[in-house]
Amino acid sequence: AIHPNPIQSGGWLSLSAATLLPGLVDVYAADGKKMVSAQWEAQPSGQNSLRLATHGWPAGVYFLRLESEGSAAVSRKFFVVR
């Protein structure tokens, strides 16, 4: 889940899993432009969060994609408002 959604200046990506393996987080604008790419380190089981800073981004629709080793990719849509 991403919250809050819509986001004004920043939000959190929250993940809950038995174990999160290392992976890659990418965020794309609706036009396909990559806004950010970050490595996700291995995390212990439970609730984990990643800060998503969106200040300076134009209002619109964005897509977050999380890929981790040995798991299917997860995509989430969120909105940035001003």
Side-chain angles (χ1 to χ4, degrees):
I2 298 174
H3 60 279
N5 190 5
I7 297 172
Q8 282 192 317
S9 61
W12 293 93
L13 165 65
S14 295
L15 301 167
S16 181
T19 303
L20 287 174
L21 299 173
L24 184 64
V25 175
D26 293 317
V27 176
Y28 297 91
D31 65 2
K33 177 182 177 187
K34 186 182 286 188
M35 302 301 290
V36 68
S37 184
Q39 292 290 322
W40 180 269
E41 300 299 325
Q43 303 290 320
S45 63
Q47 190 72 22
N48 294 284
S49 298
L50 174 68
R51 178 83 170 140
L52 188 60
T54 60
H55 56 278
W57 294 10
V61 178
Y62 294 85
F63 298 91
L64 180 139
R65 182 173 171 86
L66 171 65
E67 295 182 64
S68 63
E69 298 172 6
S71 299
V74 175
S75 296
R76 295 288 181 263
K77 178 170 67 172
F78 66 97
F79 303 89
V80 172
V81 295
R82 297 287 170 232

